[in-house]
Amino acid sequence: MNDSVRDQKTDHLITPANAALIVIDFQPLMVNAVNSTDRTRLVSNAVLVAKLSNQFGLPSVVTTVNASADSNNRLIPALRNEFCGKEIHDRTFINAWEDHGFRAAVKKTGRRKLVFMGLWTEACLTFPILDALSEGYDAYPLADAIGGTSTLAHEAALGRMQQAGARLSSLTQFACELQRDWAREDTAEGIIGILREAGVFPRMD
């Protein structure tokens, strides 16, 4: 006899019904300044996280910083493809939480668990996470889909966020937490494909 399915809205773990994805500043200028991790892998992971979000129908809030002042510094094409038709909130604030439009979009999702991927760890990611935590949200920065300008800056920022209550996660953990049961056939095949692209499972070609 199967255990009953837990309520996805009240579950203490991340579910498709209680979480939203927050995407911060995946722009060429920001990506090119990352020195805490491999940039190619970082972008690849970010795209896979976006695919996961779309697979499970999570609401997402996407923001860029000062892209309106530089048309060459908009959201990177790989993510524009995943969020085609999605409103992108451009802002001047380093801390997205100080931007009314962004903050209103987050609140409009109705979700209290916020999964973050973004650049740079020490600034545009840390500040809104600290503010979200202070307002009672749960914040989950995806450690392999974020990057800082140096390893030291990145690690110091992770420590500061964790001390404030942020809950570090990863692409693979996020995928498995959303899927939860391989008997959920509607999403199982897509998740296996995403994990295969991430190198978790061997490719079948």
Side-chain angles (χ1 to χ4, degrees):
M1 180 177 176
N2 291 334
D3 291 335
S4 60
V5 176
R6 280 151 51 165
D7 187 321
Q8 290 204 5
K9 289 186 178 179
T10 60
D11 199 324
H12 70 101
L13 298 179
I14 291 171
T15 77
N18 69 14
L21 177 66
I22 311 300
V23 182
I24 298 177
D25 300 353
F26 271 89
Q27 301 162 247
L29 181 65
M30 307 297 281
V31 172
N32 290 336
V34 167
N35 288 297
S36 63
T37 189
D38 180 81
R39 297 170 195 165
T40 300
R41 171 53 65 184
L42 172 67
V43 169
S44 175
N45 285 346
V47 170
L48 294 177
V49 169
K51 288 182 177 181
L52 276 173
S53 173
N54 291 334
Q55 176 90 27
F56 285 96
L58 266 67
S60 56
V61 180
V62 184
T63 182
T64 53
V65 62
N66 223 24
S68 59
D70 182 359
S71 61
N72 294 316
N73 199 36
R74 296 182 299 161
L75 190 72
I76 58 174
L79 284 178
R80 287 207 302 269
N81 291 338
E82 295 301 324
F83 295 113
C84 184
K86 182 77 179 175
E87 181 180 5
I88 298 174
H89 299 269
D90 194 43
R91 64 189 203 284
T92 58
F93 287 102
I94 294 174
N95 178 3
W97 207 263
E98 295 184 65
D99 182 86
H100 174 76
F102 171 85
R103 195 169 63 255
V106 172
K107 293 182 177 180
K108 187 177 179 181
T109 68
R111 308 297 175 87
R112 301 301 296 179
K113 294 185 182 296
L114 306 180
V115 179
F116 286 82
M117 64 178 190
L119 308 174
W120 301 316
T121 317
E122 65 268 30
C124 300
L125 184 75
T126 295
F127 302 152
I129 284 181
L130 295 178
D131 273 343
L133 289 167
S134 75
E135 294 190 23
Y137 289 88
D138 294 330
Y140 300 82
L142 298 178
D144 49 2
I146 61 180
T149 58
S150 71
T151 301
L152 181 60
H154 172 77
E155 291 179 350
L158 290 180
R160 184 177 177 186
M161 289 187 286
Q162 284 184 289
Q163 287 174 352
R167 305 169 183 184
L168 285 183
S169 189
S170 65
L171 164 62
T172 302
Q173 188 173 62
F174 184 41
C176 293
E177 202 162 349
L178 289 171
Q179 179 63 29
R180 203 76 65 82
D181 184 351
W182 293 117
R184 297 173 181 172
E185 296 178 354
D186 288 349
T187 51
E189 186 175 346
I191 295 312
I192 290 172
I194 287 171
L195 292 177
R196 185 167 286 131
E197 283 190 63
V200 176
F201 295 139
R203 290 186 175 273
M204 303 303 290
D205 35 65

